[in-house]
Amino acid sequence: MESHNRGIFHTTRQVRVSLFGVLFFVLVSFSVNRGEARLDKRTTEEVEAYDRYYNYEDLTQRLKSLALKYPQIANLSSVGQSVMGRELWVMRITNNSNVDLPGKPKFKYVGNMHGDETISRQVLVYLVEYLLTKYGQEPRITELVTTTDIYIMPSMNPDGFEKSIEGDCSGDAGGRQNAKNQDLNRSFPDQFTTIQINREDIPEVRAVMKWILESKFVLSGNLHGGTVVASYPFDDSATHARMGHYSRSDDDGLFRHLALVYAQNHPVMKTGRPDCLDTPDETFKDGITNGADWYDVAGGMQDYNYLQGNCLEITMELSCCKYPPSSQLQQEWDYNQESLLAYMEQVHIGVRGYVTEAVNGTALPDVSIVVTGINHNLTTGRFGDYYRLLLPGTYNVSAIAPGYAPTTSYDVQVADGKATPLNFTLTPVVTATTDGAPPPITGLAASNSTSPPATVASETASPLTPPESRLPVQPGDFRHHHYSDMELFLRKYSNEFPAIAHLYSVGKSAEDRELYVMVISDNPRVHEQGEPEFKYIGNMHGNEVVGRELLLNLIEYLCRNYGSDPEVTELVNSTRIHIMPSMNPDGYEVAREGDVHGYRGRNNSNNFDLNRNFPDQFVVITEPRQPETIAVMSWLRSNPFVLSANLHGGSLVVNYPFDNDREGASRYSSCPDDMVFQQVARAYSQENSLMHKGHPCEKMYPREFFDDGITNGAKWYNVPGGMQDWNYLNTNCFEVTIELGCVKYPRAVDLPSYWAQNRRAMLQFIHQVHRGVKGTVSDSRDGSGIPNATISVQGIAHNVTTTLTGDYWRLLVPGSYSITASARGFKPVKIVAIVPEEGVELVDFKLTPRSQDPKGPLTTPNPSQEAFQGFIKDLSLGQGLDRLVKSTATESSFRYRRYQELSEFLRGLHLNFPKITSLRSLGQSVEFRTIRALEISNHPDVPEPSKPKIRFVGGIHGNSPVGTELLLEFAFFLCINYGKHPAITRLINETRIVILPSMNPDGRELAKEKQCTSTVGMTNGRGKDLDTDFFGNTSQRVGEAQPETRAVMDLILERGHTLSVAFDGGSLLATYPYDKPVQSVENEGTLKYLANVYASNHPKMHLGETGCPNSGQMGSVPDGVIRAAERQSHMGSMKDFSVDFGHCPEITVYTGCCLFPPAEQLATLWAENKKSLLSMLVEVHKGVRGVVRDKSGNPIVGAMIVLNGGVKVFTSEGGYFHALLVPGSHKLEAVAEGYQQQRQEVVVSSYEAATSIVIEFDMDNRIFGLPREFVVATAAASMTALVVTACIIWCVCSAKSNRQKDGFHRLRQHRDDYEDEIRLTSMGSKKSLLSNEFQDESESEEETLYANKL
């Protein structure tokens, strides 16, 4: 715009200087016809000799002179400047050249893009002169100028031309590039590759791009030199083959025709044989070529015109010599004159017409013109006009615009020659007034008006309307706020009203603009228990700007009227109101004021529609999740929003869930809370008199009707991936979408009317957050709030949950409801509540634990233990952990450390903090690097089995060292804050923290930075993936364990570890056991819960967006947590070994998609994981813990604690045990040899430290399952009977022995034979016994092997 004005200024100065000449010209123009003829003849003769090149000064003077001479048909302006400040002159030629009129297609020629290709520069000057001088004389030229809006830029690269040398045919002298040495025809955005050029180095390209996008040219020619041919799109291809790859556009046949028109009218070009000295054998069939088929040109201007500019452009190469002698200029003009004119005339082929609105005939700009079978659309101009170039034939042509019913004309006949007229009239499906804006409201001017809107009848009926004597102050400045202006506005009000306004950012856009949110409340920085959270979001589509400005107005209104206006004061005191004026600031910056139904700026800067980018219940959204979407999803899950509205433009209606259905059909898709959504939607529409009528843009769309001004989303049209449905399905928040008017980007002058029409509606909608029921769910024992308790309403299949402080809000329509509150580990409570017509019903729940009185005694907590339990509770509820993170910032220099530096760092920590650290060697790697573990505790060298022990392991894969660096920073963070920060000091004093930063130092030495997918360094020095080497049964192992594995296995097998967290890379999620394929997982609830704790405290992980380009994973994983085998199943993992043999739950955290990201990203990764790491230190103190002893108080070591009949833990020294469990009620069984089993039920809370219980064993008095006394008595009676029986037998035997004495002498006679027989029998018995012994051993070994296999 400045350049344009500059051109006008020069022209004006020239007029002043040549005032006498102009007056003389005017006088002559009134002379007789003979005088006119004489003047024309003299002018033609003096205009051009065709014998010299014009330098920049000559060119400028010549163009200005022509503009002065032909002011009615010529207008000279500049679209920008070159690097060296030279103007990029453009001569516009048409009748009435100073104004834009409908009905004229825009055509342009651009020359001298390469500064040393000079024929085009002169030829276009000649063309300018020819058109001007022949207008009114030759019918062909007169018609062309009258019916066409012609723009001619003789030189796009004036700096390069000044450097070039006449006679240089090959370009050796330079001048091709601009003054920054950039090739302008390699500097445009490209569809197949990213053009890496500093924008400041190509002001010429930036100026021309802006010109192209703003002008809606229909046809264009780009004139070059170096051969003789007409080249057409595409200029490059996805393969970027150097040559020979035909890259076809959707209008390929049309482009061939256009190129042929130029070539066939050029005497040399049409032969197809340029006969250039440097390429004598090069030929082009018919004198034309596909650009990429000739040679690949990435970043070319002609492709940019076609893909981004509504314009078809070809490139004409005019001469073999780039800068031929000036003596050839006459010849070149003769060669190209007819081609230039014939090509211009092609702008009038195809179909042309207007698109208007059905009600009052208003022109509709930016309507898409779609030709069936050709996948390339163009859009209408500001007058609703369009010009679609087509070859002769029969076509089906459609006009499509958002908010209008599409219209198709079938069998449209396109003949050779002039374009077929084809007008469209679109019927709206949504409404606005004639100009698309709400009607002006009487009594509300742009200044601070104190008069209420006269047409808002419901305002006076509102019970909260201020009395007449204290009318609220209205916003005083209505204008469009670009990003910087908006940022200043928000900062101003945040600073001016700090007691009620707090500005924060939830993240950044794709172009790094902050996504600002202003929260307004009487205590804006924190969530207050009992106070609902409300939000407004505007400008999700960047070109739908009314919501953005209304929200800025609302911020001003609430701040200015707080304390004086009763309604505003009540809302601010009772509600925490979050206002995001712009969710898509990047899109806004490219949108244009006055845009009614366009798309420019709708999407974000990555060209994705943010309202189609959220996870959907019916459709898999395959487009990559955008930074704006991720930031908002994280924001919504971090705040307990109750009610929300998403402000859009393009219609006038309140739209409520669901936005789509399973089949994708446009039909009513009700959600379980359909009645609630209708209620809140009507609350808005009824306060907007125009919206409530149900006929949006009534004069434009008379057939469109929304009953009460509201509609179900899917009934209107399907929107997969919308934000409002995601809110309802994934958070406690009920969100609607409000369309504020038919004009997406209205003029600033209309903004006061929008504010007047929507002010009452916006306030009334905020009031809706105080409908239904609200209350607190608390623990009956101490009254503390229970977080994440479920509130369910009978008959409505949609639950909400309590906040971290136990409060909840449940929107309901008036009526009677049976409401149940439930929480893990507590007995549910049901209450019948009556929801009033106005206001909210208070319903509190007090829940009782399922098992308050365990059979075993509880240890009596001392005051220190009670204080620690309160400390854990404070960190677990509310913003406790966030406050800890914010209060412990440390300055760090992040970088990757190799083995030597890592070892020195660990030693340095130990030497600098000897009282709280202990450094030990676990073993050595294959290449003899020491694997070290650092223990942090207040007594690191003293066994303290009563304290929970947590293990952090990094670097199991050497090519994924992020975990290593996070753990080193974590260790430093803990040490540096010990003794300085009370919370960190307390955690270290009560916890044994073992940090093993690098398990695979050999692999780490091989890995390289910035290698996101490389497997180099993944394995150890022997090529073994260590996460496949952990086996507890020798029968499962092939070969010996790796030395690194053996070292860590020994660490795991040390009793006493309560929790383990391992780190890896390549994705963004947390996994839990098992890695091996198993049908079911014991204690899966607990393992998944622990992974959820980490993920939920990570700003991105909990969103579940785990798809990484390098891993092939796509889609969403709920909460960012998945069982490890579902991600990648394998045997021998560390976490499986930890669970099965170390009896310690272990989760694996994948820190990001890139395995080895640049060191610059480490600070961000640390910030993302810091809270999660601290949450593990808090979580390890929960679950169930205690001591097992006998009646005498002696601890029992090795007792087995069976949890829920499956998972086992064992008591350590002192009889202590500790097990983490998912919140809820659990059965616990204690078993020890020689003692009676003990059973009891325990309740685990998500926010309380584990209560220590004591399990006392009695000696087991049962023998074979029978009472000891009974067994002893029975045994005594049996012994007595045996003694009596023995005595009787002895007596009988004694009596017989006397009668048999005489027979003994017979035995002596055969003693020798008898002894031999006895000896043989004895030997056989021994052999048999030995045989049996070997047989038993063999069977035992087989049984052992079989058991191992099982």
Side-chain angles (χ1 to χ4, degrees), residues 790-999:
T790 300
I791 304 298
S792 56
V793 180
Q794 186 174 331
I796 302 178
H798 182 79
N799 301 332
V800 299
T801 56
T802 58
T803 69
L804 293 174
T805 54
D807 47 346
Y808 76 93
W809 301 263
R810 211 316 176 178
L811 301 182
L812 293 167
V813 300
S816 178
Y817 299 91
S818 176
I819 305 174
T820 301
S822 58
R824 285 177 172 176
F826 293 86
K827 299 175 183 177
V829 172
K830 182 182 293 184
I831 293 177
V832 175
I834 307 294
V835 176
E837 291 292 332
E838 295 291 339
V840 64
E841 180 72 5
L842 182 63
V843 182
D844 292 328
F845 294 88
K846 292 186 180 296
L847 304 189
T848 303
R850 290 185 181 275
S851 178
Q852 277 189 298
D853 302 312
K855 295 179 181 179
L858 295 174
T859 58
T860 302
N862 57 45
S864 177
Q865 289 174 329
E866 289 181 341
F868 183 72
Q869 288 177 349
F871 167 71
I872 293 296
K873 191 170 186 177
D874 289 341
L875 289 177
S876 301
L877 295 177
Q879 303 297 315
L881 209 52
D882 290 308
R883 288 193 296 268
L884 176 59
V885 170
K886 292 177 182 177
S887 63
T888 53
T890 55
E891 293 185 4
S892 300
S893 176
F894 290 94
R895 63 184 182 280
Y896 288 108
R897 299 170 176 88
R898 290 188 174 275
Y899 170 74
Q900 189 63 36
E901 187 179 359
L902 183 149
S903 301
E904 292 171 355
F905 184 85
L906 291 176
R907 282 195 294 267
L909 284 177
H910 177 52
L911 293 173
N912 282 281
F913 304 97
K915 294 183 179 180
I916 61 169
T917 62
S918 173
L919 187 61
R920 58 184 286 203
S921 170
L922 303 179
Q924 289 188 320
S925 68
V926 169
E927 296 177 358
F928 303 105
R929 294 182 174 92
T930 302
I931 300 171
R932 294 182 172 88
L934 183 76
E935 179 168 342
I936 302 175
S937 178
N938 60 340
H939 300 112
D941 297 317
V942 178
E944 295 180 290
S946 63
K947 293 181 180 179
K949 190 174 187 179
I950 184 170
R951 182 175 69 239
F952 294 97
V953 182
I956 191 170
H957 294 133
N959 63 334
S960 180
V962 171
T964 298
E965 300 306 324
L966 291 180
L967 292 181
L968 292 175
E969 182 63 23
F970 191 44
F972 170 74
F973 167 83
L974 294 174
C975 291
I976 203 70
N977 280 288
Y978 185 78
K980 297 178 181 178
H981 194 284
I984 299 299
T985 304
R986 192 70 183 271
L987 285 172
I988 292 175
N989 287 343
E990 300 290 342
T991 321
R992 291 179 297 163
I993 306 164
V994 177
I995 295 178
L996 170 53
S998 181
M999 179 182 165

Side-chain angles (χ1 to χ4, degrees), residues 1259-1287:
M1259 295 295 295
D1260 195 346
N1261 292 322
R1262 302 177 70 83
I1263 301 176
F1264 303 116
L1266 298 173
R1268 180 182 294 272
E1269 293 80 3
F1270 175 78
V1271 173
V1272 171
T1274 303
S1278 301
M1279 289 299 295
T1280 301
L1282 287 172
V1283 170
V1284 172
T1285 302
C1287 291

Side-chain angles (χ1 to χ4, degrees), residues 43 61 249 276 299 353 507 638 673 681 710 739 746 813 1062 1130 1135 1336:
T43 303
Q61 184 62 35
S249 73
C276 298
S638 303
D673 283 290
I710 67 173
E739 304 281 347
V813 300
H1130 65 279
K1135 73 162 70 71
D1336 289 342

Side-chain angles (χ1 to χ4, degrees), residues 375 665 839 1251:
N375 190 27
T1251 302

